[in-house]
Amino acid sequence: FPIDITFKSTNPFGWPQIVVSVYGPDFFGNDVVRGYGAVHVPITPGRHTRTIPMFVPESTSRLQKFTSWFTGRRPEFTDPKVVAQGEGREVTRVRSQGFVTISFNVM
């Protein structure tokens, strides 16, 4: 999708990131999360291609896994900022779920 954005900063700390949330139908037709990922926006002019590793949150016990599968309510983040931040993510159990490739044209 083409996105036209202008950023101005005197400090590159916390440079903008694109957070990707991918959803899709499960076996029962429920719309569930298929993966989350984030990548920093390049700052140099030109065409840039980035591959984003995707991950999905996992339940911590077998009972929770069965219950979430049975009800169709799988674990997901309520706030997408969690994906872009490193704080608190070390205690979150996740599973790798493929890749998304994104292209940037920076002027």
Side-chain angles (χ1 to χ4, degrees):
F1 301 103
I3 300 173
D4 184 13
I5 301 173
T6 303
F7 293 109
K8 181 179 178 184
S9 175
T10 58
N11 184 358
F13 178 76
W15 186 256
Q17 297 182 50
I18 290 184
V19 175
V20 179
S21 301
V22 179
Y23 289 85
D26 66 355
F27 182 74
F28 299 111
N30 299 320
D31 203 25
V32 296
V33 66
R34 294 293 184 188
Y36 294 107
V39 67
H40 286 279
V41 176
I43 59 173
T44 57
R47 182 172 177 84
H48 305 276
T49 302
R50 299 286 187 261
T51 301
I52 307 170
M54 304 297 285
F55 61 90
V56 64
E58 282 263 311
S59 297
T60 56
S61 71
R62 293 183 195 266
L63 178 62
Q64 286 177 334
K65 285 182 184 181
F66 175 73
T67 304
S68 66
W69 176 83
F70 186 70
T71 61
R73 301 280 304 158
R74 302 221 176 119
E76 61 182 80
F77 296 124
T78 56
D79 186 10
K81 291 180 184 177
V82 173
V83 177
Q85 297 171 345
E87 302 146 11
R89 278 205 13 221
E90 65 274 359
V91 296
T92 307
R93 183 178 289 189
V94 295
R95 176 174 37 96
S96 180
Q97 193 73 11
F99 298 91
V100 169
T101 302
I102 190 168
S103 295
F104 296 97
N105 290 312
V106 179
M107 294 193 311

